[in-house]
């Protein structure tokens, strides 16, 4: 969905004026697929920003790209650039007029249910297989004759099947000349497995009675008799656990946004030819008149044209006392009619309603980036190439100094394995996303991630009026009774249904 932005008078949008940023002609938000780490987002962002006049921000946590682009560039060009980078991109579906339907469409979590199930299956199977491998490698008492072959049998499915998403992503990125965190995971685990296979079949590690010592001191050993199956299986399981928890966090954050949008009504009674017709909220149009009975939600923003009542607007204002409305007063969608019958004329529907704008505010806050996240993205963008260079330098350095290919390869593999479980660029966007989603659940709308980040420096909160911070519910503070009246009996009568109280009052 694009929105036009006025251009700067007298400025050519295709040419950047020194000292002055050219005004973008339009903005678009794309859904990005295939990202597996923060360096993926940094790479896409870099490619898009290289286009003339384009300013892009890619958020790994929400898997969305917010792009400003000038005239002369089409959305198809932006999508093609992302696809050439090795990822997928598409425009979000057009907004559905219904507030509830639109919320379901826009607030869908980035991690689809199928992906979450697949990650969970790989994690649990890998965990069950890798735990015995790690225990046998770390506890010499468990190392029976030929234990190393059982370790290979258990670890191989973890490295090949459990880590398949990492291998697939690494291969895809390699085809486009890029390296990401998945490159490290894939190279490290496959190198550890490959070395172990060489040591088992061509070295001394496959001999019966081989023992794998465990000690905290660092000492040199014969690489041909050492296996790294526990490292390969353990790293794979560790990374899978991180990816699964990340996907769950994103799904919960999306659920918070959906819960906010589900506050709206689902259907409404519209007046058509003097009769009430029940229709979905999505079919409401500006100018339609609809009926709101006591206890029902106001379907959309509008103006009261008939009747008077009290409307509970606590979901918007936090005020626990219902607000009296009559003919000519404005009412807001998703508020509750607490009194009489109202006839309301719709003034805003769909994405224009106040509830939809609130949801958009939360969504924009989740899509934005705080300064600390930008720093993490910049670091992650160069982290992988630096690690690969260090591993290559380690291999070359050991070969040059010792001439021992076994020791050199062992050291290089150690560099890759140590660098694999890197959560750089993951914790920050996930924390910001979950924070804004949790705030929405608690009725706190956070304008952007930079606002959330700046709250660590807040020491004083100033409120503009009384009642701003409330629970939205009235509570009984104290009870004062006349002489001879029991407090419990008074509370029982006060809490009784109105009809019962009237009948009780008529009794002698």
């Amino acid at each position: 969905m694009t929105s036009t932005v006025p251009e700067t008078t007298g400025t050519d949008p295709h040419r950047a004026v020194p000292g002055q940023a050219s005004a973008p002609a339009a903005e678009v938000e794309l859904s990005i697929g295939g990202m597996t780490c923060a360096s993926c987002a940094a790479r896409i962002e870099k490619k898009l920003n290289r286009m003339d006049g384009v300013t892009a921000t890619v958020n790994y946590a929400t898997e969305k790209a917010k792009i400003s682009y000038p005239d002369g560039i089409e959305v198809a060009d932006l999508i093609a650039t992302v696809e050439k980078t090795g990822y997928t991109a598409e425009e979000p579906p057009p907004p559905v007029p219904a507030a509830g339907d639109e919320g379901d469409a826009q607030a869908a979590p980035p991690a689809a249910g199928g992906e979450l199930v697949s990650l969970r299956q790989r994690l649990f199977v890998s965990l069950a297989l890798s735990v015995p491998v790690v225990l046998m490698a770390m506890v010499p008492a468990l190392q029976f004759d030929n234990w190393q072959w059982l370790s290979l049998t258990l670890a191989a499915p973890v490295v090949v099947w459990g880590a398949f998403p990492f291998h697939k992503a690494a291969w895809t990125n390699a085809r486009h000349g890029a390296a990401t965190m998945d490159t490290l995971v894939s190279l490290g685990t496959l190198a550890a497995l490959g070395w172990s296979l060489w040591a088992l079949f061509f070295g001394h590690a496959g001999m019966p009675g081989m023992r794998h010592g465990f000690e905290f001191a660092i000492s040199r050993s014969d690489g041909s008799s050492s296996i790294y199956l526990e490292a390969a299986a353990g790293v794979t399981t560790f990374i899978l656990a991180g990816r699964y928890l990340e996907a769950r966090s994103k799904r919960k954050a999306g659920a918070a946004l959906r819960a906010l949008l589900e506050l709206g009504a689902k259907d409404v009674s519209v007046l058509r030819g003097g009769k009430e017709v029940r229709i979905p909220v999505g079919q409401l149009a500006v100018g339609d008149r609809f009926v709101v009975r006591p206890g029902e939600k106001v379907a959309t923003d509008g103006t009261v044209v008939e009747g008077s009542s009290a409307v509970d607007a606590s979901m918007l204002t936090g005020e626990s006392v219902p607000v009296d409305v009559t003919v000519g007063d404005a009412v807001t969608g998703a508020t509750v009619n607490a009194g009489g019958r109202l006839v309301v004329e719709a003034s805003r529907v769909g994405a224009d309603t106040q509830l939809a704008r609130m949801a958009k505010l939360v969504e924009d806050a989740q899509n934005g980036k705080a300064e600390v996240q930008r720093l993490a993205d910049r670091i992650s963008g160069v982290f992988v190439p630096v690690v690969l260079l260090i591993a290559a330098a380690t291999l070359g350095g050991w070969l040059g100094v010792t001439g021992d290919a076994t020791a050199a390869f062992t050291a290089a593999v150690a560099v890759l394995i140590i660098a694999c479980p890197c959560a750089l660029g993951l914790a920050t966007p996930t924390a910001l996303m979950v924070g804004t989603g949790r705030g929405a659940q608690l009725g706190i709308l956070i304008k952007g991630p930079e606002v959330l980040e700046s709250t660590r420096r807040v020491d004083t909160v100033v409120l503009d009026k009384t009642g701003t911070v409330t629970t939205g519910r009235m509570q009984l503070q104290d009870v004062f009774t006349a002489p001879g009246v029991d407090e419990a009996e008074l509370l029982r009568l006060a809490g009784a249904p109105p009809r019962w109280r009237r009948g009780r009052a008529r009794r002698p």
Side-chain angles (χ1 to χ4, degrees):
M1 183 174 64
T2 58
S3 58
T4 301
V5 179
E7 296 181 11
T8 304
T9 305
T11 302
D12 184 359
H14 299 282
R15 184 180 64 184
V17 180
Q20 178 182 1
S22 59
E27 291 185 352
V28 66
E29 186 177 79
L30 299 179
S31 298
I32 308 296
M35 292 192 299
T36 55
C37 64
S39 57
C40 297
R43 183 163 168 258
I44 298 172
E45 191 173 294
K46 185 177 181 180
K47 291 286 186 181
L48 288 172
N49 285 326
R50 284 180 178 175
M51 301 176 68
D52 292 336
V54 173
T55 303
T57 300
V58 181
N59 193 309
Y60 168 55
T62 59
E63 296 185 355
K64 290 183 179 180
K66 195 170 185 179
I67 309 170
S68 301
Y69 60 97
D71 288 336
I73 294 181
E74 303 292 336
V75 176
D77 300 329
L78 302 173
I79 294 176
T81 300
V82 176
E83 290 177 345
K84 288 178 182 178
T85 313
Y87 306 89
T88 62
E90 61 181 4
E91 288 189 82
V96 181
D101 295 341
E102 177 195 14
D104 292 339
Q106 288 188 354
E115 179 188 354
L116 200 63
V117 171
S118 175
L119 279 173
R120 183 167 58 242
Q121 290 175 345
R122 293 181 190 273
L123 172 60
F124 288 166
V125 173
S126 299
L127 182 63
L129 296 177
S130 60
V131 167
V133 176
V134 173
L135 288 177
M136 284 188 291
M138 297 299 179
V139 183
L142 300 178
Q143 296 172 5
F144 53 89
D145 289 343
N146 296 317
W147 67 273
Q148 64 271 39
W149 297 103
L150 176 60
S151 293
L152 176 62
T153 304
L154 297 176
V158 176
V159 179
V160 176
W161 175 78
F164 178 75
F166 310 136
H167 304 322
K168 180 181 178 182
W171 172 248
T172 302
N173 287 305
R175 287 168 50 200
H176 292 84
T180 64
M181 300 291 182
D182 291 297
T183 305
L184 293 182
V185 177
S186 180
L187 284 178
T189 54
L190 288 178
L193 177 63
W195 179 268
S196 301
L197 289 173
W198 179 87
L200 286 170
F201 288 98
F202 303 102
H204 306 294
M207 297 295 180
M210 189 275 283
R211 295 293 182 266
H212 195 266
F214 177 74
E215 55 186 18
F216 292 101
I218 300 176
S219 61
R220 295 186 61 178
S221 61
D222 182 12
S224 63
S225 61
S226 300
I227 58 176
Y228 298 96
L229 295 173
E230 78 285 354
V235 166
T236 299
T237 304
F238 181 83
I239 299 295
L240 281 173
R243 293 283 172 89
Y244 174 68
L245 293 175
E246 170 203 356
R248 279 191 58 189
S249 297
K250 290 192 289 187
R251 191 173 181 85
K252 287 182 178 179
L257 185 55
R258 289 197 304 277
L260 174 63
L261 288 159
E262 286 172 358
L263 293 173
K266 302 303 179 185
D267 49 22
V268 59
S269 295
V270 181
L271 293 177
R272 299 279 170 84
K275 296 182 180 179
E276 294 185 17
V277 180
R278 201 75 179 176
I279 63 171
V281 175
Q283 297 180 12
L284 262 182
V286 175
D288 282 346
R289 296 190 174 190
F290 58 92
V291 178
V292 187
R293 295 182 178 83
E296 290 184 341
K297 291 181 179 180
V298 179
T300 191
D301 298 356
T303 304
V304 178
V305 294
E306 182 182 326
S308 61
S309 181
V311 174
D312 180 6
S314 58
M315 55 83 61
L316 289 175
T317 64
E319 295 284 359
S320 55
V321 180
V323 180
D324 292 331
V325 295
T326 186
V327 175
D329 291 337
V331 291
T332 306
T335 56
V336 180
N337 181 13
R341 178 180 181 272
L342 294 175
V343 177
V344 180
E345 182 176 316
S347 59
R348 290 194 295 262
V349 296
D352 295 330
T353 64
Q354 186 166 347
L355 180 64
R357 292 201 300 268
M358 288 169 56
K360 182 63 176 174
L361 183 67
V362 176
E363 189 177 23
D364 289 343
Q366 293 182 344
N367 290 341
K369 286 188 178 182
E371 186 59 34
V372 65
Q373 184 176 345
R374 296 182 188 277
L375 175 62
D377 287 349
R378 287 197 297 269
I379 296 174
S380 64
V382 299
F383 179 81
V384 177
V386 168
V387 170
L388 294 177
L389 287 175
I390 293 175
T394 301
L395 178 64
W398 276 78
L399 282 175
V401 174
T402 66
D404 186 351
T406 299
F409 190 73
T410 302
V413 170
V415 172
L416 291 175
I417 292 175
I418 291 171
C420 279
C422 178
L424 184 65
L426 169 63
T428 300
T430 303
L432 290 171
M433 185 179 181
V434 174
T436 51
R438 180 57 178 161
Q441 283 183 322
L442 299 175
I444 304 171
L445 298 182
I446 301 172
K447 188 174 182 180
E450 67 282 351
V451 176
L452 185 62
E453 183 183 30
S454 65
T455 54
R456 62 187 176 88
R457 298 188 297 270
V458 173
D459 56 12
T460 305
V461 178
V462 181
L463 306 179
D464 60 345
K465 65 183 181 66
T466 58
T468 300
V469 181
T470 66
T471 61
R473 285 184 173 184
M474 299 186 68
Q475 293 183 345
L476 179 64
Q477 186 70 23
D478 209 341
V479 178
F480 299 93
T481 61
V485 178
D486 181 65
E487 181 177 318
E489 178 67 12
L490 176 62
L491 291 174
R492 187 180 67 82
L493 293 174
R499 290 184 179 178
W500 190 90
R501 287 202 302 267
R502 287 197 296 268
R504 176 75 174 178
R506 287 194 297 268
R507 293 182 183 180

